[in-house]
Amino acid sequence: MKCKILFLIVLYSSIAFASRPLKSDDAFTLGRNLFQLELAYEIAPGIGTSLPVSSAYGIWDNTDILLNVSLNNSSNSSLMAFECIDIEAKQYLTSVLDFSISTKFGLSSVIEKSSITSPMLSIMLISSLNINSFNVHFNCGYASNKNEDEFSDLWFGSVACEYFLNDQITIGTDFGISRNPSLYFSSPTGYALLGVSYKIFDSVSLDTGLNITFNEKSKFDMFTTGLTIIL
């Protein structure tokens, strides 16, 4: 999840992926010809609801192509509308012992009144470390924002930890901070997320999580739940 609304609320083989509902990515790729689909429902009190859909396809063993869209509505509207779209490419680079590194490049656009805004270009460095039953993921990146009356240089960083309680249940925590694009927020926006994922089958899992967002002018919670399928 990397559209404009993500920056406002905060600002994915055999190897385990960073599970939803975590926002941080892991350093691994799906593998050639594997497909992953994430469906979610998110509620932000006082702001609205969102139905994010994220998909990834392994075109090569070390390269994934991702397409993310979001159907959103505000708290004062009963209509849902597509409001953002992301296209990304993720490249796995290398591993040293249990430490892995990858990069991700993306273009994000917001859809307003049937027109698409200038795409936001982003680049992210991702690393993952496996320690016994724990996976720790570090993300940091930069985005060039072309929208008028907003900050043009946006940065973001996060760290997430997954604990594999057993073969089915994964507990995760995620912390992040970013520069909010709005000129009304002079200090960074941060978040803290706690979630759990339950694997129904080898390729299907359910998840739920609670997100707390904080900055100098606002503080609210976001509830998220979703379904992940790998084919």
Side-chain angles (χ1 to χ4, degrees), residues 10 23 173-176 190-194 210-214 222:
V10 34
K23 297 178 180 180
T173 59
D174 199 339
F175 303 91
Y191 74 87
L193 184 148
L194 175 65
L210 181 65
N211 182 89
I212 300 174
T213 302
F214 47 91
M222 182 181 71

Side-chain angles (χ1 to χ4, degrees), residues 114-151:
S114 300
S115 63
I116 301 178
T117 63
S118 299
M120 181 188 299
L121 175 64
S122 64
I123 180 172
M124 183 186 297
L125 179 65
I126 307 166
S127 60
S128 294
L129 176 65
N130 174 254
I131 307 174
N132 298 322
S133 296
F134 292 87
N135 274 347
V136 183
H137 312 289
F138 306 92
N139 292 188
C140 63
Y142 166 83
S144 177
N145 184 18
K146 302 301 182 182
N147 293 325
E148 296 182 358
D149 301 323
E150 292 183 343
F151 287 118

Side-chain angles (χ1 to χ4, degrees), residues 30-204:
L30 284 168
R32 185 186 295 268
N33 295 330
L34 287 179
F35 175 77
Q36 177 174 289
L37 178 66
E38 294 180 350
L39 306 173
Y41 178 67
E42 299 177 348
I43 303 174
I47 295 181
T49 59
S50 179
L51 299 174
V53 179
S54 301
S55 60
Y57 179 73
I59 58 173
W60 295 297
D61 288 340
N62 294 328
T63 306
D64 290 348
I65 297 296
L66 302 93
L67 176 64
N68 311 312
V69 298
S70 185
L71 188 65
N72 306 327
N73 81 314
S74 61
S75 58
N76 57 4
S77 173
S78 60
L79 297 177
M80 302 289 287
F82 284 106
E83 290 189 355
C84 58
I85 182 170
D86 302 336
I87 300 175
E88 300 173 315
K90 181 178 179 182
Q91 179 65 45
Y92 175 82
L93 298 179
T94 187
S95 292
V96 178
L97 298 178
D98 292 322
F99 184 74
S100 302
I101 300 175
S102 69
T103 58
K104 186 157 64 176
F105 301 88
L107 289 171
S108 300
S109 290
V110 177
I111 304 173
E112 297 178 331
K113 298 179 180 180
S114 300
S115 63
I116 301 178
T117 63
S118 299
M120 181 188 299
L121 175 64
S122 64
I123 180 172
M124 183 186 297
L125 179 65
I126 307 166
S127 60
S128 294
L129 176 65
N130 174 254
I131 307 174
N132 298 322
S133 296
F134 292 87
N135 274 347
V136 183
H137 312 289
F138 306 92
N139 292 188
C140 63
Y142 166 83
S144 177
N145 184 18
K146 302 301 182 182
N147 293 325
E148 296 182 358
D149 301 323
E150 292 183 343
F151 287 118
S152 58
D153 298 312
L154 306 178
W155 52 265
F156 50 93
S158 66
V159 57
C161 180
E162 296 177 292
Y163 174 65
F164 301 98
L165 187 62
N166 52 44
D167 291 340
Q168 291 180 299
I169 300 175
T170 302
I171 301 172
T173 59
D174 199 339
F175 303 91
I177 190 171
S178 67
R179 187 181 195 181
N180 196 302
S182 174
L183 298 177
Y184 296 102
F185 293 90
S186 59
S187 63
T189 298
Y191 74 87
L193 184 148
L194 175 65
V196 60
S197 175
Y198 180 80
K199 184 181 292 185
I200 305 174
F201 307 108
D202 287 342
S203 59
V204 180

